């Protein structure tokens, strides 16, 4: 039996896809030594095998299926899209399985080798329908016919729905040719296949007791069979057209957004195999460590590459994480910086870097040509080719400085992304490069200088760090070296007069509850969150190591802090440097005191309050319920929700160092948040982060709402109702 033309089209498409896929993989591993490139590939394979043969497979299933619904539910408008996507994936996988099972049970195809059967499988009905009879027809054949048409219609419906969203409703984005092409080519394949089956039913006069299971094709055949057309000729033509569309579809995978079909599962595999909850972002709570300062000091070798100047400076993991983007626009819609009119779109960041990633192969060809020119002694071409190769990969035009510094690292983009792309990771890496090169404006330079010289971003003297404690009953570690808890106050509540009230409220509550606690006083330094998020990795590690040394010298085991940024740094980032402490956020600690009856609520608050979720407490660390439950326990205080709350909360604008510098924007993020509160109509906004207080109170001044709306930390509110 000869191989049909449609199978040849499929083979050609597959060959092009393999070459294109090879180029994409080359872009991941290019610039790494051969041994490291080999390690990259083996790491991916090992990770896949170790995950699939362990309990982690549960997280992969969650990521591939349940995770899609979770991401969709972050916005109620995406639930239908999530349902369609799951149905699409299941339908596509079951169809592939069904094709290959079917082809094994067609007698006339058993003479083909297995590798040829692979290319025949999508066209199993071409052979089966024309040769089957009532006597040989089985229940399995009927089932295949039904699920083929049923799932084909699901896939076509989903893609038509996506085209409707893009072209008619214009949801998320402007119309993009690639998006329309990808959807259209899949639709054309399935439609041509259904039409080919219809022509087969008519051409061979398939008995209705068989044909009815291919219910859609059969329905079409009953409508078209009376047309005077050369159905035997059309039967061959339509199957070949179907094969052509499939060949084009397969060939286009490495060159279009369809590539996410391959790299999406790899990305989800990496993210969910570590066991992260879908509502907690896996990147950001612990930034990458480009070097270990301790090892550099030991070896006295300080030649390390920090940050990204070119796309090749990104690690293979970072390169892969750019690939699954399908331009759905959810990250952009969720980004508070974009909503505020800043020069930042998380989607554009990924797409711009992805376009640079695709140039690595061309750059390497130019480099190879430069080496050939050198070998042939063509001196005039060597420098020209090398310069062109390097210019292709520079990120100066791809990541503008204004874009880089606009990000608050709130994680909204990562939380909403269906494939967990870390949109702001490249921005942190670019900041590291800019800091290393000294390409900062005077304001940012002063912030880093203050942190380095004064150990606080305000530039205030270290000797002023304990002024907030005057006339309070609170001891330092020196005065009480055997406490149960260390209360980490943080820079904001040590120096900012407004936020000092949070620390004073905490001291009042802890003393009333009889907690054996201390503070570091003058020995406390900045935790380093701002240093690291602004890109000064070396100084961050220096500060972290110094803090850890002090904490270990006092044998500190448990730390309480009211600042989510301190909480995240102490809990998640210090571990890499030997600082493994039990860190508790004050919302959970205070709630526990209430539940144990250590403190009594003796006053009532006749008010309604909105609770604002801090990004580093909620999205980063999954603490959503404790602050709400605590507030709900206060008599007569009614807790309401912002329109954007929990994992979908709207950033105050203070994270990522933004609390210390300003970025050009149309409207402040904090003002947008206050506007949301105005619509709901409350007089009190409760928070659990000093940065949020600073930013939201600044917005009140901007809006002229001082005195009309109050911003309070949950500790301040609790301190009021337990009395002095």
């Amino acid at each position: 039996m000869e191989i049909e033309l449609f199978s040849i089209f499929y083979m050609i498409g597959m060959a092009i896809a393999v070459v294109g896929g090879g180029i994409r993989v080359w872009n991941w591993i290019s610039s790494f030594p051969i041994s490291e490139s080999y390690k990259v590939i083996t790491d991916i394979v090992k990770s896949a095998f170790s995950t699939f043969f362990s309990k982690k497979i549960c997280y992969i299933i969650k990521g591939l299926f349940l995770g899609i619904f979770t991401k969709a539910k972050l916005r109620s408008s995406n639930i239908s899209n999530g349902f369609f996507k799951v149905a699409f994936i299941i339908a596509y996988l079951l169809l592939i399985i069904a094709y290959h099972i079917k082809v094994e049970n067609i007698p006339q195809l058993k003479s083909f080798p297995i590798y040829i059967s692979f290319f025949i499988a999508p066209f199993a009905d071409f052979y089966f329908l024309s040769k089957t009879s009532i006597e040989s027809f089985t229940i399995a054949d009927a089932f295949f016919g039904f699920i083929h048409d049923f799932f084909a219609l699901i896939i076509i419906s989903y893609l038509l729905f996506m085209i409707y969203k893009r072209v008619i409703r214009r949801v998320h984005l402007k119309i993009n040719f690639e998006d329309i092409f990808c959807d259209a080519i899949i639709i054309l394949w399935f439609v041509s296949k259904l039409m080919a089956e219809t022509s087969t039913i008519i051409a061979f006069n398939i008995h209705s007791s068989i044909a009815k299971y291919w219910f859609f094709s059969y329905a079409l055949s009953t409508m078209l069979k009376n047309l005077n057309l050369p159905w035997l000729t059309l039967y061959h033509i339509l199957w070949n057209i179907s094969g052509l569309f499939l060949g084009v579809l397969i060939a286009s995978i490495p060159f279009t957004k369809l590539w996410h079909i391959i790299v999406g599962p790899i990305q989800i595999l990496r993210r969910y195999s570590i066991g992260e909850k879908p509502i907690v972002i896996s990147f950001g709570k612990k930034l990458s460590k480009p070097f270990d300062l301790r090892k550099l000091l030991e070896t006295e070798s300080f030649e390390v590459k920090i940050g990204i100047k070119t796309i090749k400076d990104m690690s293979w993991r970072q390169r892969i994480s750019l690939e699954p983007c399908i331009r759905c626009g959810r990250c952009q819609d969720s980004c508070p910086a974009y909503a505020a009119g800043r020069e930042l779109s998380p989607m554009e960041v990924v797409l711009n870097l992805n376009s640079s990633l695709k140039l690595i192969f061309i750059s390497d060809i130019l480099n190879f040509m430069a080496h050939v020119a050198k070998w042939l002694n063509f001196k005039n071409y060597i420098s020209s080719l090398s310069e062109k190769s390097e210019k292709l990969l520079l990120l100066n035009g791809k990541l503008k400085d204004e874009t880089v510094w606009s990000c608050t690292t709130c994680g909204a983009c990562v939380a909403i992304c269906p494939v967990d792309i870390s949109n702001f990771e490249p921005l942190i890496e670019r900041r590291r490069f800019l800091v290393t090169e000294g390409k900062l404006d005077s304001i940012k330079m002063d912030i880093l200088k203050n942190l380095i010289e004064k150990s606080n971003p305000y530039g205030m003297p270290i000797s002023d760090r304990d002024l907030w404690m005057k006339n309070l009953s609170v001891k330092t570690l020196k005065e009480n070296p055997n406490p149960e808890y260390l209360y980490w106050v943080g820079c904001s509540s040590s120096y900012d007069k407004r936020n000092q009230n949070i620390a004073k409220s905490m001291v009042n509550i802890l003393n009333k509850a009889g907690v054996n606690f201390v503070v570091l006083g003058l020995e406390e330094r900045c935790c380093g969150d701002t240093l690291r998020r602004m890109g000064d990795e070396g100084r961050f590690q220096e500060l972290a190591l110094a803090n850890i040394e002090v904490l270990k010298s006092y044998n500190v085991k448990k730390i309480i802090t009211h600042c989510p940024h301190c909480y995240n740094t102490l809990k998640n980032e210090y571990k890499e440097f030997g600082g493994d402490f039990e860190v508790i956020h004050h919302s959970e600690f205070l709630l526990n005191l209430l539940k144990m009856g250590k403190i009594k609520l003796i006053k009532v608050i006749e008010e309604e309050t909105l609770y604002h979720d801090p990004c580093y407490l909620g999205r980063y660390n999954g603490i959503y319920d404790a602050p709400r439950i605590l507030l709900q326990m206060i008599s007569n205080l009614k807790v309401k929700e912002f329109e954007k709350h929990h994992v979908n909360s709207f950033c105050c604008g203070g994270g990522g160092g933004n609390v210390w510098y300003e970025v050009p924007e149309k409207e402040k993020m904090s003002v947008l948040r206050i506007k949301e509160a105005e619509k709901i109509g409350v007089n009190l906004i409760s928070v659990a982060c000093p940065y949020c207080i600073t930013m939201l109170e600044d917005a009140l001044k901007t809006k002229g709402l001082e005195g009309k709306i109050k911003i309070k930390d949950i500790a301040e509110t609790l301190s009021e109702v337990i009395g002095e």
Side-chain angles (χ1 to χ4, degrees), residues 1 31 44 77 324 395 425 434 497 529 589 641 683 720:
M1 185 180 293
S31 78
I44 294 173
S77 60
L395 298 177
E425 183 175 6
L434 294 174
K497 287 187 178 180
D529 165 80
F589 190 81
E641 295 287 3
N683 299 320
E720 289 175 9

Side-chain angles (χ1 to χ4, degrees), residues 283 286-290 318 425 429 432 532 537 576:
F283 172 80
K286 186 177 75 174
L287 296 184
S288 62
K289 185 172 70 172
Q318 291 169 337
E425 183 175 6
E429 293 293 345
R432 287 172 172 173
R532 196 169 214 193
E537 179 67 20
E576 279 190 302

Side-chain angles (χ1 to χ4, degrees), residues 256-436:
T256 64
K257 71 171 190 177
L258 292 173
W259 181 239
H260 85 281
I261 297 168
I262 308 297
V263 293
I266 295 175
Q267 173 74 351
I268 292 172
L269 175 74
R270 293 202 307 110
R271 296 290 182 203
Y272 283 83
S273 63
I274 62 175
E276 290 289 354
K277 300 175 186 176
I279 57 168
V280 180
I281 65 172
S282 53
F283 172 80
K285 61 162 54 175
K286 186 177 75 174
L287 296 184
S288 62
K289 185 172 70 172
F291 59 86
D292 191 321
L293 185 60
R294 294 166 295 183
K295 291 181 180 178
L296 296 183
L297 292 170
E298 285 174 12
T299 59
E300 296 185 350
S301 174
F302 298 96
E303 291 185 11
V304 291
K305 185 175 279 190
I306 304 171
I308 53 173
K309 178 182 180 182
T310 72
I311 193 69
K312 278 192 174 183
D313 293 329
M314 298 183 79
S315 70
W316 68 268
R317 288 181 177 86
Q318 291 169 337
R319 295 182 197 182
I320 290 176
S321 72
L322 300 172
E323 297 270 30
C325 180
I326 56 170
R327 294 191 297 275
C328 69
R330 290 185 182 90
C331 58
Q332 181 174 283
D333 290 347
S334 301
C335 178
Y338 184 80
R342 293 189 178 189
E343 187 69 31
L344 171 63
S345 161
M347 182 186 68
E348 291 300 327
V349 167
V350 172
L351 293 179
N352 287 341
L353 290 173
N354 216 336
S355 65
S356 290
L357 188 63
K358 293 173 183 176
L359 296 174
I360 288 179
F361 185 72
I362 298 171
S363 172
D364 287 345
I365 290 175
L366 291 173
N367 259 331
F368 175 74
M369 290 170 66
H371 285 298
V372 172
K374 186 177 181 180
W375 180 63
L376 295 173
N377 204 26
F378 292 163
K379 295 180 180 178
N380 295 335
Y381 295 96
I382 297 172
S383 60
S384 174
L385 289 167
S386 297
E387 284 175 14
K388 287 178 181 177
S389 172
E390 188 176 350
K391 282 181 180 178
L392 276 176
L393 305 179
L394 288 173
L395 298 177
N396 295 343
K398 304 290 184 181
L399 288 180
K400 297 177 184 177
D401 288 1
E402 197 172 306
T403 299
V404 170
W405 295 109
S406 290
C407 180
T408 64
T409 67
C410 72
C413 53
V414 184
I416 197 85
C417 179
V419 285
D420 294 275
I421 295 172
S422 299
N423 307 64
F424 67 89
E425 183 175 6
L427 301 179
I428 297 293
E429 293 293 345
R430 187 64 174 178
R431 287 181 183 184
R432 287 172 172 173
F433 167 73
L434 294 174
V435 169
T436 305

Side-chain angles (χ1 to χ4, degrees), residues 479-491:
E479 296 167 330
N480 176 13
N482 297 304
E484 187 177 359
Y485 298 98
L486 168 71
Y487 173 39
W488 185 280
V489 180
C491 297

Side-chain angles (χ1 to χ4, degrees), residues 448-465:
L448 296 180
K449 184 181 177 183
N450 290 338
L451 284 161
I452 294 162
E453 294 180 359
K454 307 290 186 181
S455 294
N456 70 81
Y458 297 93
M460 302 283 281
I462 294 174
S463 58
D464 289 355
R465 196 171 190 104

Side-chain angles (χ1 to χ4, degrees), residues 20-33:
I23 292 172
R24 297 297 286 258
V25 172
W26 175 268
N27 291 337
W28 298 348
I29 63 177
S30 175
S31 78
F32 298 117

